[in-house]
Amino acid sequence: MLLSLDKSDTRPLHEQVAGAVRRAIAEGECGPGDRLPSARDLSAALDVNVNTVLRALRGLRDEGLLEFRRGRGVTVAEGAGPHSGLQIRVRELVAEAARLGYSRTDVIDMIRGLP
Amino acid sequence: MAVRTTAVLWTVGVTAVLAGMPFVVRERLPDRLATHWGLGSEVADGSMPLWAASLVPALLWLVTAAGATVPLLRARATAARPWTAAVLLPTGIVLAGSQAAVVRANLDRADWREARQPGAWIVVVLVVAVLAAVAAWFVATRRARAEGGTGSPDSGAPALRIPDDRRVAWFSRTVNPWMQLVAAVTGLVAVGILVAAVGGLADPGGLWAAFAACAVASLSCALFSSVQARVSERGLEVSFGPLGWPTRRWAPGDIDAARAETRGPAQVGGWGYRVSGLGTTVMLRAGECLVIRPRGRRADFAVSVDDARRGAALLNALRTDRSA
């Protein structure tokens, strides 16, 4: 699998790492059941602190994209591909709304107001 | 083709010599043949009946030779394999020479206990075998270089475009479930033997040797049951086994070229960590391999991982990035 980080990105590092993994899953770089490289390997290859990587992976587990299994490491969850694609679009929507001056609550209200 | 024919003829010929020699002169041999002498002792301390003295070395040879010749016959391309020659030739010489020495020592003796140690013979046979091994290695490697030395390492090497503001890393991992199974089974056997030895169930002498053999087999199979390759700005890192240790590393500047290539166990001499005419190959499954040519080396390093093409492309991009 190929992971890439944007060096000019100003978001917190753990969000950037989570974003890179989310994109890799959405683009089919790794499928359901595939084992992710260990946090230590990811941290060495991306030149990011291992705790930052772990924080990113835990966040992705909470989103339902990853599964942590004892003895099997971190694997991609079933159905994670389409799910992560949606996650990416929601994040883009929230970011775009913020740029235009709308808060998250405004966006939620807009969605509620949809027919 | 000539290589295969030679290997088959050599295998069959040595088998015939080993099995046939005692039978040809059986009229002049005792019922049992002296087959083993202690170090520095003139008198034999081990013997075998005629049929065993003829068949045991022949079977020993057949098993060894089959291990080297069968992959050679199954290989599609006649890959250069200096190791095959450097193993087959001296092993055949040692076995045939020892058989000749045994027959000669027993010749015209009434009883095997009268046979004297053929010390000088053994020394001569060993010296000849070592010389033959060295000669075979040189001839085979020279031929391999003449056959395979074409094409510059950079030709057709894939490269990936990396935008300046991106940090890219590539990961791949291969698992061989059969190796895992073998590692688990030999590990269990080793534990069983250890329990038997500690519990005093059987003679500890032989048990410790069996334990050591099983433990070494289990550990080496576990080590080569999985392999992780990782390409990043730090270069290529290949780590072995479930613990990811040990690891081999090459910085981008230490690599002359990277490419993807299809290889099979038959080409490199089996599974695991293999040194052959193609260089070093970490072979866990047949198929795509990431191959690099380390700087200043004449031999490649290859590891069987999926998606090797992109790994090689990224490695080439990082390499040219650094040198630019």
Side-chain angles (χ1 to χ4, degrees), chain A residues 1-8 13 23 29 35-38 40-42 44-48, chain B residues 160 164-173 228 230 232-234 239 242-244 307 310 314:
Chain A
M1 66 184 286
L2 207 60
L3 287 183
S4 76
L5 287 185
D6 190 343
K7 287 181 196 164
S8 57
L13 259 177
R23 196 162 53 238
E29 288 277 344
R35 190 163 152 178
L36 237 55
S38 71
R40 200 183 44 163
D41 284 0
L42 286 169
L46 297 172
D47 198 14
V48 173
Chain B
L160 201 74
D164 284 341
D165 56 349
R166 290 235 156 237
R167 184 181 295 149
V168 182
W170 173 86
F171 303 85
S172 191
R173 182 166 181 274
Q228 290 91 246
R230 156 167 115 226
S232 65
E233 287 174 359
R234 292 151 52 118
S239 42
L243 302 176
D307 194 25
R310 275 201 310 176
L314 178 57

Side-chain angles (χ1 to χ4, degrees), chain B residues 111-146:
Chain B
D111 189 87
W112 66 270
R113 289 177 197 84
E114 293 168 14
R116 294 285 157 259
Q117 163 134 286
W121 271 76
I122 300 291
V123 172
V124 170
V125 165
L126 288 180
V127 169
V128 171
V130 169
L131 291 179
V134 173
W137 174 261
F138 273 108
V139 171
T141 44
R142 181 157 302 175
R143 179 183 291 190
R145 225 167 286 151

Side-chain angles (χ1 to χ4, degrees), chain A residues 50-91:
Chain A
V50 69
N51 290 311
T52 311
V53 172
L54 282 169
R55 190 168 168 195
L57 295 182
R58 278 197 293 268
L60 292 170
R61 176 191 59 187
D62 297 343
E63 287 174 25
L65 295 183
L66 298 180
E67 282 173 4
F68 286 23
R69 287 200 196 139
R70 193 175 292 270
R72 281 210 59 207
V74 180
T75 54
V76 179
E78 208 62 47
H83 189 54
S84 74
L86 184 65
Q87 284 274 358
I88 291 173
R89 293 218 289 280
V90 169
R91 275 160 203 277

